């Protein structure tokens, strides 16, 4: 592999032991959340607490899903995330392509803008956006929230896609253009199929950014468009001490994400480290 | 480059540029402008220009000074812990080679989970009376209800959630450390710590810089992960700037003051990040 075998003097077994210990520590919180969601409500807050459920039950899931507003919030989360992913890709693909292929000075401004956007506290954009959405008569809609979420995922998408486009040899397009294809046709028929993996990674990141986002959702929705993270935060007041149902809802919200990660793990690692590391 | 290529490129970038101008730059301009006005919390209410009054009020308020220190401390705790654990785990993965792939995937999972879920989960783990952490460790620490340690406690889920990012980035960087350099150092009798501090860390510097800057910015903006654990309490001990700005705006309805606080916060972040980018990263030096 690489030359980091400085540890050869240490027995491998010790290293594996340390690694497993670290991962157990890392995995435990989530395992405990899952286990608690199958406990009875009184067991969930029993003193002293137990790791395993005394009785396994699905009651918490039934309770959580039956709560007013929980199912609509899950639907809103999906709708908002899908819309935001579409907005991000539609805007980012042409921009990222132009940045990598034509290297205009404005392209560099874009990359800087993407960096600066990341540093802006959400509230500084979110608070004025509430006014904007009200003016446009789209406040408290998934559409408006998706626009807000796109402010986060668009710079990220441009950044990611630009590095995927970098990897496409220009000769491919040149050949298509010689055959009489226009630039847009060459992009659509030659370049995009080559970077389809990159498009998928970018779409996942845009989707997750929206799925997990909190403060924009808190500012821009009140009733109709409320997403699940807000419902989770309001649980306290609604559910009192029903930690069982709370852990169930948290588990429901995290499972799709975990499945998504499982299916596309290799691409995700590439996406996460891209841009940070060249090589 | 032909002119029509340039025009084509401009057209391709226009939609994204227009979007960012309309929904990021313009709101930001309005936010900063609001800092110079006294604004009625009623929608469409009166606005009165007050110059730098809000900024003066922000700087002299104890709440703002306290929140600034807490934000800096929180960011420092999160980034320091993450860097230490992240580098350690990345070195472990490297030493164990390709057989650690499965573990790398497992380690990545927290990154995908919503901060609000992570905050909720850790609140449940650390809560007084029935928290499992105290039970398993056989201790009785009031993690989230003791003002002296609450800021440290609320940082734990952030560390849990995002250390993997640093690990992944550093691991990718470690793959590019040339083996023969390390081999030569070992033949010269260099120990593990010498190699780490003299060879590995200097070689990884640009990668480390990216990881620290990205995580530092995000930690300084942390909001939901803290809100759900303590709502800024006990006794304001976990009220960081993002929580204070939010509360000043929504609970106290003082939009002008909140905007001034937010503007100072934004400028401070930009300043610190710029210094970090140019001092450690030196973009272009390694491209």
């Amino acid at each position: 592999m690489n030359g980091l075998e400085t540890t050869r003097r240490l027995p491998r077994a010790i290293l594996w032991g340390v690694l497993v210990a670290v991962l157990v520590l890392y995995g435990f919180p989530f395992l405990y959340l899952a286990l608690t969601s199958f406990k009875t409500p009184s067991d969930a807050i029993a003193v002293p607490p137990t790791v395993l459920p005394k009785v396994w039950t699905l009651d918490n899931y039934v309770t959580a899903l039956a709560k007013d507003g929980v199912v609509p919030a899950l639907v809103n989360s999906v709708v908002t995330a899908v819309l935001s992913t579409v907005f991000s890709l539609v805007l980012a693909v042409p921009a990222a392509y132009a940045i990598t292929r034509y290297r205009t000075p404005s392209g560099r401004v874009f990359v800087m803008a993407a960096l600066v956007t990341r540093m802006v506290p959400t509230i500084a954009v979110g608070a004025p956006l509430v006014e904007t959405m009200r003016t446009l008569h789209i406040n408290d809609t998934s559409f408006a929230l998706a626009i807000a979420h796109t402010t986060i995922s668009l710079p990220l998408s441009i950044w990611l896609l630009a590095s995927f486009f970098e990897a496409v040899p220009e000769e491919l397009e040149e050949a298509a253009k010689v055959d009489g294809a226009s630039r847009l046709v060459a992009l659509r028929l030659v370049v995009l199929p080559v970077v389809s993996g990159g498009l998928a990674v970018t779409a996942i990141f845009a989707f997750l950014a929206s799925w997990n986002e909190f403060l924009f959702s808190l500012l821009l929705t009140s009733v109709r468009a409320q997403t699940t993270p807000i419902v989770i935060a309001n649980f306290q007041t609604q559910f009192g001490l029903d930690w069982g149902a709370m852990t169930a809802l948290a588990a429901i919200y995290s499972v799709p994400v975990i499945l998504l990660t499982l299916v596309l793990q290799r691409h995700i690692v590439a996406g996460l480290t891209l841009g940070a590391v060249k090589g | 480059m032909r002119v029509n290529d340039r025009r084509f490129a401009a057209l391709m970038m226009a939609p994204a540029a227009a979007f960012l101008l309309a929904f990021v730059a313009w709101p930001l301009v309005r936010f900063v402008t609001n800092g110079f006005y006294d604004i009625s919390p009623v929608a469409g209410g009166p606005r009165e220009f007050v110059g730098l009054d809000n900024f003066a009020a922000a700087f002299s308020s104890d709440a703002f000074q306290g929140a600034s220190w807490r934000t800096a401390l929180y960011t420092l705790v999160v980034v320091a812990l993450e860097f230490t654990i992240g580098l350690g785990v990345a070195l472990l993965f490297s030493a164990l080679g390709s057989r650690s792939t499965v573990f790398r995937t497992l380690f990545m999972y927290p990154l995908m989970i919503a901060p609000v879920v992570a905050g909720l989960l850790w609140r449940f783990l650390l809560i007084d009376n029935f928290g499992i952490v105290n039970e398993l460790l056989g201790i009785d620490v009031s993690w989230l209800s003791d003002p002296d340690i609450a800021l440290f406690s609320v940082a734990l889920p952030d560390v849990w959630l995002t250390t993997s990012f640093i690990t992944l980035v550093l691991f990718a960087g470690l793959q590019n450390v040339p083996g023969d350099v390390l081999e030569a150092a070992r033949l010269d009798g260099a120990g593990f710590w010498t190699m780490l501090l003299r060879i590995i860390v200097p070689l990884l510097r640009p990668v480390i810089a990216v990881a620290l800057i990205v995580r530092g910015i995000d930690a300084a903006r942390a909001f939901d992960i803290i809100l759900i654990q303590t709502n800024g309490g006990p006794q304001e001990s976990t009220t960081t700037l993002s929580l204070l700005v939010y509360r000043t705006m929504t609970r106290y309805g003082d939009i002008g003051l909140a905007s001034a606080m937010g503007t100072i916060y934004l400028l401070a972040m930009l300043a610190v990040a710029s210094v970090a980018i140019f001092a450690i990263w030196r973009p272009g030096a390694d491209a």
Side-chain angles (χ1 to χ4, degrees):
Chain A
M1 279 296 288
N2 68 346
L4 258 181
E5 288 165 27
T6 43
T7 47
R8 202 179 286 156
R9 280 169 257 161
L10 279 172
R12 290 254 145 171
I14 292 180
L15 288 180
W16 281 111
V18 173
L19 184 62
V20 169
V22 169
L23 283 161
V24 167
L25 282 174
Y26 247 82
F28 176 76
F30 209 75
L31 189 66
Y32 186 62
L33 170 84
L35 289 168
T36 304
S37 69
F38 296 115
K39 289 178 183 175
T40 60
S42 59
D43 268 357
I45 54 167
V47 182
T50 55
V51 174
L52 291 171
K54 295 181 189 116
V55 185
W56 291 74
T57 168
L58 288 172
D59 286 359
N60 290 325
Y61 287 87
V62 176
T63 311
L65 289 171
K67 265 276 178 238
D68 259 355
V70 167
V71 173
L74 284 166
V75 173
N76 284 338
S77 284
V78 175
V79 170
T80 308
V82 169
L83 275 176
S84 179
T85 306
V86 171
F87 294 164
S88 291
L89 285 180
V90 166
L91 293 166
V93 166
Y97 180 72
I99 288 169
T100 44
R101 273 297 170 267
Y102 299 102
R103 307 204 175 282
T104 53
S106 50
R108 236 165 293 141
V109 173
F110 242 114
V111 176
M112 278 315 288
L115 270 175
V116 172
T117 309
R118 195 178 172 116
M119 296 178 201
V120 175
T122 308
I123 192 140
V125 175
L129 272 185
V130 178
E131 291 299 308
T132 308
M133 300 310 175
R134 206 172 283 144
T135 313
L136 297 170
H137 298 293
I138 51 170
N139 51 316
D140 198 17
T141 61
S142 297
F143 183 79
L145 184 57
I147 288 177
H149 285 172
T150 305
T151 64
I152 301 172
S153 51
L154 178 60
L156 181 76
S157 302
I158 292 176
W159 185 281
L160 277 174
L161 284 170
S163 43
F164 289 119
F165 284 133
E166 288 281 1
V168 180
E170 274 189 65
E171 292 75 26
L172 278 179
E173 291 149 88
E174 291 310 320
K177 283 180 200 159
V178 168
D179 290 344
S182 72
R183 279 175 292 213
L184 277 177
V185 172
L187 169 63
R188 197 166 55 88
L189 296 179
V190 179
V191 182
L192 288 186
V194 177
V195 294
S196 56
L199 288 174
V201 174
T202 311
I204 294 161
F205 277 102
F207 187 93
L208 281 178
S210 169
W211 185 257
N212 292 340
E213 202 283 329
F214 183 85
L215 186 48
F216 274 136
S217 313
L218 185 65
L219 292 166
L220 289 165
T221 66
S222 44
V223 189
R224 282 180 305 153
Q226 204 165 62
T227 53
T228 317
I230 310 302
V231 172
I232 290 175
N234 292 340
F235 238 65
Q236 233 61 58
T237 41
Q238 272 196 33
F239 279 56
L241 270 179
D242 196 348
W243 278 97
M246 248 186 277
T247 51
L249 183 57
I252 290 169
Y253 203 61
S254 307
V255 164
V257 168
I258 288 173
L259 292 177
L260 201 65
T261 312
L262 198 65
V263 174
L264 301 149
Q265 48 180 303
R266 187 168 300 176
H267 294 300
I268 290 179
V269 175
L272 280 171
T273 49
L274 214 93
V277 187
K278 296 261 195 294
Chain B
M1 185 183 272
R2 304 197 308 277
V3 170
N4 60 356
D5 264 355
R6 194 170 283 252
R7 191 169 300 165
F8 176 74
L11 280 173
M12 297 281 275
M13 291 183 201
F19 182 93
L20 290 175
L21 282 172
F23 296 110
V24 179
W26 175 233
L28 206 53
V29 168
R30 291 220 316 277
F31 183 83
V32 173
T33 313
N34 282 346
F36 297 92
Y37 286 85
D38 186 18
I39 301 164
S40 143
V42 185
R47 295 167 60 97
E48 189 198 345
F49 184 77
V50 291
L52 291 171
D53 286 4
N54 287 323
F55 291 88
F59 274 120
S60 62
S61 91
D62 290 344
F64 184 74
Q65 288 172 14
S68 302
W69 284 116
R70 284 189 287 269
T71 306
L73 196 60
Y74 176 89
T75 306
L76 199 68
V77 167
V78 168
V79 172
L81 278 174
E82 288 194 357
F83 179 66
T84 311
I85 302 170
L87 181 61
V89 177
L91 288 169
L92 265 179
F93 282 146
S94 255
L96 294 168
S98 53
R99 279 172 304 167
S100 63
T101 312
V102 177
F103 292 95
R104 283 208 297 279
T105 310
L106 285 173
F107 203 62
M108 190 178 69
Y109 272 100
L111 278 178
M112 306 295 147
I113 291 163
V116 74
V117 169
L120 181 85
L121 169 57
W122 278 81
R123 182 175 167 189
F124 185 52
L125 293 169
L126 298 176
I127 205 161
D128 297 345
N129 297 328
F130 55 89
I132 193 90
V133 169
N134 280 347
E135 178 68 19
L136 291 177
L137 298 177
I139 50 178
D140 187 19
V141 177
S142 313
W143 297 98
L144 296 169
S145 53
D146 177 350
D148 292 336
I149 58 166
L151 188 65
F152 171 79
S153 305
V154 292
L156 292 176
D158 213 347
V159 172
W160 177 72
L161 199 66
T162 49
T163 296
S164 325
F165 172 78
I166 294 200
T167 300
L168 286 171
V169 172
L170 295 185
F171 177 79
L174 283 172
Q175 302 311 297
N176 300 335
V177 173
D180 46 6
V181 174
L182 292 169
E183 197 54 44
R186 194 173 25 239
L187 291 175
D188 289 344
F192 172 74
W193 291 107
T194 312
M195 284 201 197
L196 181 66
L197 297 174
R198 291 285 171 83
I199 300 172
I200 296 173
V201 169
L203 279 173
L204 284 184
R205 204 192 54 183
V207 182
I208 290 172
V210 174
L212 294 186
I213 290 165
V214 169
R215 282 300 310 136
I217 289 169
D218 285 349
R221 299 192 315 171
F223 179 80
D224 38 352
I225 206 163
I226 301 175
L227 184 85
I228 191 141
Q229 290 184 87
T230 57
N231 204 359
Q235 296 162 39
E236 308 295 299
S237 63
T238 55
T239 301
T240 55
L241 279 171
S242 54
L243 269 80
L244 181 70
V245 173
Y246 174 75
R247 195 172 296 170
T248 307
M249 189 170 284
T250 53
R251 192 185 297 175
Y252 308 123
D254 197 339
I255 300 170
L257 181 61
S259 302
M261 286 175 172
T263 302
I264 300 167
Y265 170 35
L266 169 66
L267 290 174
M269 290 242 290
L270 285 175
V272 174
S274 306
V275 168
I277 286 171
F278 289 108
I280 342 178
W281 190 2
R282 293 185 211 154
D286 64 298

